[in-house]
Amino acid sequence: MSVWTFDYYPHARFIAPAQGAAQLWRFCFGLVLAAGLFLALTQVLFGTLFQVMEPGAVDAIMENGQTGQTATGMFVLLFQLGLLGVSAALVVIMVHKRRPLTLIGEPRLALRQFIVVATAMLILMAAIWVLPPYDMGGPLERNMAVGRWLLLLPVAVVAVLIQSGAEEVFFRGYIQQQLAVRFRSPFIWMIVPATLFGMAHYLPDSAGSNAWTIVAWATLFGILMADLTARSGTLGPAIAVHFVNNLSAMVITSVPDEMSGLALFVLPFGLADEAQMAAWLPVDFGIMFVSWLVARLAIRA
């Protein structure tokens, strides 16, 4: 198996359901509608909270949801991002007249590939933890008691799966499918969704001088997930890689200043520590590349 072989024949099966209503105006309208639906559903979410909770408590939850520094804030943030998947599902029903499950590919194959790749990714992450070096530039700091973490863990796993799955459904499902049925070049249907995904990670206020490096990381991640989707013919492998990556970064070990509310440990430095973050970002690029190779090996693609 050559790393650089572009064997994308399963991709034709993945995008086939999008061929029936593939006009560009539908796609552009679908993107606008998806954004509107996401905002509307977010308002419904917080409006419901206002109905069942004290206004002051909801204000605190909304504030915490912007940084994810508390468990409640993280749950709100993750489930809110899950609304991206709901929005994409509604768009394909209303605009493209097809079933939402077509966004992930053949369901049984997608589930089988997800399980295989997720298992391989968990083994990889365990190996990274066991093998040297044994720290991240300093000792990890305990973020919460183990008992409380274990209590929150089942819901946290579900929340991360919803968030990562929703992002893959929107970017590698809806956008990639609709572009691929109109443009044969992978430079369009891979790069455009990945660039949008990368820009969604632009955090200049938090990351400072590393903001564009993080955008580059997320963009490359999007390209590799698009490649996995094209090779496998489903979103199963991409969701698995995204899920395990976020599980490690949000539930096991997080940075202390962003999205740390569900993490057992936090790193000895945060996004604001620009020099240390810059030193470790190349490691993240390396782990991402190895994760892509492991996923490809797991599905033999």
Side-chain angles (χ1 to χ4, degrees):
M1 178 185 70
S2 172
V3 171
W4 307 114
T5 298
F6 296 98
D7 188 3
Y8 287 163
Y9 76 89
H11 196 231
R13 180 178 67 246
F14 177 65
I15 67 175
Q19 292 175 347
Q23 297 90 340
L24 282 177
W25 72 263
R26 289 182 185 271
F27 171 60
C28 294
F29 176 64
L31 284 180
V32 174
L33 181 60
L37 287 169
F38 177 73
L39 293 175
L41 291 170
T42 297
Q43 291 299 315
V44 170
L45 171 64
F46 287 113
T48 302
L49 292 177
F50 270 112
Q51 293 296 320
V52 300
M53 300 179 66
E54 293 293 329
V58 177
D59 290 339
I61 289 174
M62 292 176 66
E63 183 178 352
N64 290 334
Q66 295 177 3
T67 61
Q69 289 185 295
T70 66
T72 302
M74 273 298 292
F75 283 132
V76 170
L77 178 62
L78 293 172
F79 285 118
Q80 180 188 6
L81 289 172
L83 297 176
L84 270 179
V86 177
S87 300
L90 292 173
V91 165
V92 296
I93 292 172
M94 294 187 290
V95 179
H96 301 280
K97 313 300 181 185
R98 59 186 174 105
R99 294 178 298 112
L101 278 178
T102 59
L103 289 168
I104 67 169
E106 201 283 310
R108 286 178 294 183
L109 177 60
L111 178 60
R112 184 162 64 249
Q113 291 174 335
F114 171 85
I115 293 172
V116 170
V117 173
T119 301
M121 284 292 299
L122 288 171
I123 294 172
L124 171 64
M125 292 303 168
I128 290 173
W129 268 83
V130 171
L131 296 174
Y134 298 111
D135 60 50
M136 296 283 288
L140 296 177
E141 299 174 13
R142 181 72 62 82
N143 189 49
M144 69 171 69
V146 174
R148 183 168 185 263
W149 182 78
L150 289 173
L151 186 65
L152 294 173
L153 183 60
V155 184
V157 169
V158 172
V160 173
L161 180 58
I162 289 173
Q163 171 264 325
S164 54
E167 291 185 0
E168 290 304 316
V169 163
F170 183 73
F171 289 100
R172 258 65 67 182
Y174 179 65
I175 298 179
Q176 181 168 325
Q177 281 184 338
Q178 294 303 137
L179 287 175
V181 295
R182 296 293 302 180
F183 305 100
R184 295 185 61 184
S185 172
F187 288 102
I188 296 177
W189 53 258
M190 292 177 76
I191 301 299
V192 172
T195 301
L196 293 173
F197 182 74
M199 289 306 301
H201 291 76
Y202 181 57
L203 302 168
D205 292 338
S206 302
S209 61
N210 295 314
W212 284 108
T213 306
I214 293 173
V215 169
W217 184 97
T219 301
L220 180 57
F221 182 85
I223 292 171
L224 296 181
M225 295 308 99
D227 173 84
L228 279 180
T229 301
R231 293 177 186 278
S232 63
T234 81
L235 288 184
I239 292 175
V241 174
H242 200 155
F243 166 63
V244 176
N245 174 80
N246 285 11
L247 195 68
S248 175
M250 297 177 183
V251 180
I252 307 298
T253 305
S254 179
V255 291
D257 44 7
E258 292 281 344
M259 304 182 77
S260 59
L262 295 173
L264 179 60
F265 300 104
V266 291
L267 300 176
F269 55 87
L271 287 175
D273 299 314
E274 297 181 24
Q276 288 186 286
M277 281 297 299
W280 275 100
L281 279 170
V283 177
D284 282 340
F285 275 93
I287 292 174
M288 172 174 54
F289 185 74
V290 172
S291 298
W292 171 66
L293 292 176
V294 166
R296 284 190 55 183
L297 180 62
I299 61 174
R300 303 294 192 273

Short mmCIF file of all heavy atoms in Angstrom, two decimals, residues 191-225:
data_model
loop_
_atom_site.label_atom_id
_atom_site.label_comp_id
_atom_site.label_asym_id
_atom_site.label_seq_id
_atom_site.Cartn_x
_atom_site.Cartn_y
_atom_site.Cartn_z
N ILE A 191 -10.36 20.78 -0.46
CA ILE A 191 -9.77 22.00 0.08
C ILE A 191 -10.82 22.97 0.61
O ILE A 191 -10.64 23.58 1.68
CB ILE A 191 -8.89 22.70 -0.98
CG1 ILE A 191 -7.78 21.75 -1.44
CG2 ILE A 191 -8.32 23.99 -0.42
CD1 ILE A 191 -6.83 21.33 -0.36
N VAL A 192 -11.92 23.15 -0.12
CA VAL A 192 -12.92 24.13 0.31
C VAL A 192 -13.51 23.79 1.68
O VAL A 192 -13.51 24.64 2.59
CB VAL A 192 -14.04 24.29 -0.75
CG1 VAL A 192 -15.18 25.15 -0.21
CG2 VAL A 192 -13.47 24.91 -2.02
N PRO A 193 -14.04 22.56 1.90
CA PRO A 193 -14.55 22.26 3.25
C PRO A 193 -13.47 22.34 4.32
O PRO A 193 -13.73 22.80 5.44
CB PRO A 193 -15.09 20.83 3.12
CG PRO A 193 -15.28 20.61 1.67
CD PRO A 193 -14.24 21.44 0.98
N ALA A 194 -12.25 21.89 3.98
CA ALA A 194 -11.17 21.93 4.96
C ALA A 194 -10.80 23.36 5.33
O ALA A 194 -10.50 23.65 6.49
CB ALA A 194 -9.94 21.19 4.41
N THR A 195 -10.81 24.25 4.35
CA THR A 195 -10.49 25.65 4.63
C THR A 195 -11.56 26.28 5.54
O THR A 195 -11.23 27.01 6.48
CB THR A 195 -10.38 26.45 3.33
OG1 THR A 195 -9.35 25.87 2.51
CG2 THR A 195 -10.05 27.91 3.60
N LEU A 196 -12.83 25.99 5.25
CA LEU A 196 -13.91 26.50 6.11
C LEU A 196 -13.77 25.94 7.53
O LEU A 196 -13.95 26.65 8.52
CB LEU A 196 -15.27 26.12 5.52
CG LEU A 196 -15.63 26.78 4.19
CD1 LEU A 196 -16.93 26.19 3.65
CD2 LEU A 196 -15.77 28.29 4.36
N PHE A 197 -13.44 24.65 7.61
CA PHE A 197 -13.22 24.01 8.91
C PHE A 197 -12.06 24.66 9.64
O PHE A 197 -12.13 24.92 10.85
CB PHE A 197 -12.97 22.52 8.69
CG PHE A 197 -12.77 21.73 9.95
CD1 PHE A 197 -13.84 21.43 10.77
CD2 PHE A 197 -11.51 21.26 10.31
CE1 PHE A 197 -13.67 20.68 11.94
CE2 PHE A 197 -11.32 20.52 11.47
CZ PHE A 197 -12.41 20.23 12.28
N GLY A 198 -10.98 24.94 8.91
CA GLY A 198 -9.82 25.57 9.53
C GLY A 198 -10.13 26.96 10.04
O GLY A 198 -9.73 27.32 11.16
N MET A 199 -10.85 27.75 9.24
CA MET A 199 -11.17 29.11 9.66
C MET A 199 -12.08 29.13 10.89
O MET A 199 -12.07 30.09 11.66
CB MET A 199 -11.81 29.87 8.50
CG MET A 199 -10.84 30.21 7.38
SD MET A 199 -9.35 31.08 7.95
CE MET A 199 -10.06 32.55 8.71
N ALA A 200 -12.88 28.07 11.06
CA ALA A 200 -13.72 27.98 12.25
C ALA A 200 -12.88 27.83 13.52
O ALA A 200 -13.40 28.01 14.63
CB ALA A 200 -14.69 26.81 12.12
N HIS A 201 -11.60 27.51 13.36
CA HIS A 201 -10.70 27.35 14.51
C HIS A 201 -9.78 28.56 14.68
O HIS A 201 -8.79 28.47 15.41
CB HIS A 201 -9.85 26.09 14.34
CG HIS A 201 -10.64 24.82 14.46
ND1 HIS A 201 -11.46 24.35 13.46
CD2 HIS A 201 -10.73 23.91 15.47
CE1 HIS A 201 -12.02 23.22 13.84
NE2 HIS A 201 -11.60 22.93 15.06
N TYR A 202 -10.10 29.67 14.03
CA TYR A 202 -9.28 30.87 14.15
C TYR A 202 -9.62 31.58 15.45
O TYR A 202 -10.72 32.10 15.64
CB TYR A 202 -9.54 31.79 12.95
CG TYR A 202 -8.72 33.07 12.97
CD1 TYR A 202 -7.33 33.04 13.02
CD2 TYR A 202 -9.36 34.32 12.90
CE1 TYR A 202 -6.58 34.21 13.02
CE2 TYR A 202 -8.62 35.49 12.90
CZ TYR A 202 -7.24 35.43 12.96
OH TYR A 202 -6.50 36.59 12.97
N LEU A 203 -8.66 31.59 16.39
CA LEU A 203 -8.88 32.13 17.73
C LEU A 203 -7.77 33.12 18.08
O LEU A 203 -6.92 32.84 18.94
CB LEU A 203 -8.92 31.00 18.76
CG LEU A 203 -9.97 29.90 18.55
CD1 LEU A 203 -9.69 28.72 19.47
CD2 LEU A 203 -11.37 30.46 18.78
N PRO A 204 -7.74 34.27 17.44
CA PRO A 204 -6.63 35.20 17.68
C PRO A 204 -6.59 35.73 19.10
O PRO A 204 -5.50 35.98 19.64
CB PRO A 204 -6.90 36.33 16.67
CG PRO A 204 -8.37 36.26 16.39
CD PRO A 204 -8.71 34.80 16.47
N ASP A 205 -7.75 35.91 19.74
CA ASP A 205 -7.75 36.43 21.11
C ASP A 205 -7.17 35.43 22.10
O ASP A 205 -6.55 35.83 23.09
CB ASP A 205 -9.18 36.79 21.53
CG ASP A 205 -9.74 37.97 20.76
OD1 ASP A 205 -8.93 38.75 20.22
OD2 ASP A 205 -10.97 38.10 20.66
N SER A 206 -7.37 34.13 21.83
CA SER A 206 -6.87 33.09 22.74
C SER A 206 -5.48 32.61 22.39
O SER A 206 -4.64 32.40 23.27
CB SER A 206 -7.83 31.90 22.75
OG SER A 206 -9.14 32.28 23.12
N ALA A 207 -5.23 32.41 21.09
CA ALA A 207 -3.98 31.77 20.66
C ALA A 207 -2.89 32.74 20.27
O ALA A 207 -1.74 32.34 20.08
CB ALA A 207 -4.27 30.82 19.48
N GLY A 208 -3.21 34.02 20.12
CA GLY A 208 -2.20 35.01 19.80
C GLY A 208 -1.47 34.70 18.50
O GLY A 208 -2.08 34.45 17.46
N SER A 209 -0.15 34.68 18.57
CA SER A 209 0.67 34.48 17.37
C SER A 209 0.54 33.07 16.80
O SER A 209 0.98 32.83 15.67
CB SER A 209 2.14 34.77 17.70
OG SER A 209 2.61 33.89 18.71
N ASN A 210 -0.03 32.13 17.56
CA ASN A 210 -0.21 30.77 17.07
C ASN A 210 -1.55 30.57 16.35
O ASN A 210 -1.84 29.45 15.91
CB ASN A 210 -0.12 29.77 18.23
CG ASN A 210 1.27 29.75 18.85
OD1 ASN A 210 2.27 29.70 18.15
ND2 ASN A 210 1.33 29.80 20.17
N ALA A 211 -2.36 31.62 16.26
CA ALA A 211 -3.71 31.47 15.72
C ALA A 211 -3.70 30.88 14.32
O ALA A 211 -4.49 29.97 14.01
CB ALA A 211 -4.44 32.82 15.74
N TRP A 212 -2.83 31.39 13.45
CA TRP A 212 -2.82 30.90 12.07
C TRP A 212 -2.21 29.50 11.98
O TRP A 212 -2.56 28.73 11.07
CB TRP A 212 -2.10 31.87 11.16
CG TRP A 212 -2.93 33.08 10.85
CD1 TRP A 212 -2.76 34.35 11.30
CD2 TRP A 212 -4.12 33.11 10.03
NE1 TRP A 212 -3.75 35.18 10.82
CE2 TRP A 212 -4.60 34.45 10.05
CE3 TRP A 212 -4.83 32.15 9.32
CZ2 TRP A 212 -5.74 34.84 9.35
CZ3 TRP A 212 -5.97 32.53 8.62
CH2 TRP A 212 -6.42 33.86 8.64
N THR A 213 -1.30 29.17 12.88
CA THR A 213 -0.77 27.80 12.90
C THR A 213 -1.86 26.81 13.27
O THR A 213 -1.95 25.71 12.70
CB THR A 213 0.39 27.69 13.91
OG1 THR A 213 1.37 28.69 13.61
CG2 THR A 213 1.04 26.31 13.82
N ILE A 214 -2.73 27.19 14.20
CA ILE A 214 -3.86 26.34 14.59
C ILE A 214 -4.83 26.21 13.42
O ILE A 214 -5.38 25.13 13.16
CB ILE A 214 -4.55 26.90 15.84
CG1 ILE A 214 -3.60 26.78 17.05
CG2 ILE A 214 -5.87 26.17 16.12
CD1 ILE A 214 -4.11 27.46 18.30
N VAL A 215 -5.05 27.31 12.68
CA VAL A 215 -5.89 27.23 11.48
C VAL A 215 -5.29 26.26 10.47
O VAL A 215 -6.00 25.44 9.87
CB VAL A 215 -6.06 28.63 10.85
CG1 VAL A 215 -6.69 28.53 9.45
CG2 VAL A 215 -6.92 29.52 11.74
N ALA A 216 -3.97 26.34 10.28
CA ALA A 216 -3.30 25.42 9.36
C ALA A 216 -3.45 23.98 9.82
O ALA A 216 -3.68 23.07 8.99
CB ALA A 216 -1.82 25.79 9.24
N TRP A 217 -3.32 23.76 11.13
CA TRP A 217 -3.50 22.40 11.68
C TRP A 217 -4.90 21.89 11.37
O TRP A 217 -5.07 20.76 10.88
CB TRP A 217 -3.27 22.42 13.19
CG TRP A 217 -3.33 21.07 13.85
CD1 TRP A 217 -2.27 20.26 14.15
CD2 TRP A 217 -4.51 20.36 14.25
NE1 TRP A 217 -2.73 19.10 14.72
CE2 TRP A 217 -4.09 19.12 14.80
CE3 TRP A 217 -5.86 20.65 14.20
CZ2 TRP A 217 -4.99 18.18 15.28
CZ3 TRP A 217 -6.77 19.70 14.68
CH2 TRP A 217 -6.33 18.49 15.23
N ALA A 218 -5.92 22.71 11.66
CA ALA A 218 -7.30 22.28 11.45
C ALA A 218 -7.60 22.08 9.96
O ALA A 218 -8.34 21.17 9.58
CB ALA A 218 -8.27 23.30 12.05
N THR A 219 -7.02 22.93 9.10
CA THR A 219 -7.22 22.78 7.66
C THR A 219 -6.61 21.48 7.16
O THR A 219 -7.25 20.74 6.39
CB THR A 219 -6.60 23.98 6.91
OG1 THR A 219 -7.21 25.19 7.35
CG2 THR A 219 -6.81 23.84 5.41
N LEU A 220 -5.40 21.18 7.59
CA LEU A 220 -4.78 19.92 7.19
C LEU A 220 -5.56 18.74 7.74
O LEU A 220 -5.74 17.72 7.05
CB LEU A 220 -3.33 19.88 7.69
CG LEU A 220 -2.55 18.60 7.34
CD1 LEU A 220 -2.52 18.37 5.84
CD2 LEU A 220 -1.13 18.68 7.91
N PHE A 221 -6.05 18.86 8.96
CA PHE A 221 -6.89 17.80 9.54
C PHE A 221 -8.11 17.57 8.65
O PHE A 221 -8.48 16.43 8.36
CB PHE A 221 -7.33 18.19 10.95
CG PHE A 221 -8.16 17.15 11.64
CD1 PHE A 221 -7.56 16.10 12.33
CD2 PHE A 221 -9.55 17.21 11.61
CE1 PHE A 221 -8.32 15.13 12.97
CE2 PHE A 221 -10.33 16.25 12.25
CZ PHE A 221 -9.71 15.21 12.93
N GLY A 222 -8.74 18.66 8.20
CA GLY A 222 -9.90 18.53 7.32
C GLY A 222 -9.56 17.85 6.01
O GLY A 222 -10.34 17.03 5.50
N ILE A 223 -8.39 18.17 5.45
CA ILE A 223 -7.97 17.53 4.20
C ILE A 223 -7.78 16.03 4.40
O ILE A 223 -8.21 15.20 3.59
CB ILE A 223 -6.68 18.18 3.68
CG1 ILE A 223 -6.96 19.62 3.22
CG2 ILE A 223 -6.08 17.36 2.53
CD1 ILE A 223 -5.70 20.41 2.90
N LEU A 224 -7.13 15.65 5.50
CA LEU A 224 -6.89 14.23 5.78
C LEU A 224 -8.20 13.49 6.04
O LEU A 224 -8.35 12.32 5.65
CB LEU A 224 -5.93 14.08 6.96
CG LEU A 224 -4.52 14.63 6.75
CD1 LEU A 224 -3.66 14.39 7.98
CD2 LEU A 224 -3.87 14.02 5.52
N MET A 225 -9.16 14.14 6.71
CA MET A 225 -10.45 13.50 6.93
C MET A 225 -11.23 13.35 5.63
O MET A 225 -11.93 12.36 5.42
CB MET A 225 -11.27 14.29 7.95
CG MET A 225 -10.68 14.31 9.37
SD MET A 225 -10.26 12.68 10.06
CE MET A 225 -8.47 12.62 9.73
#
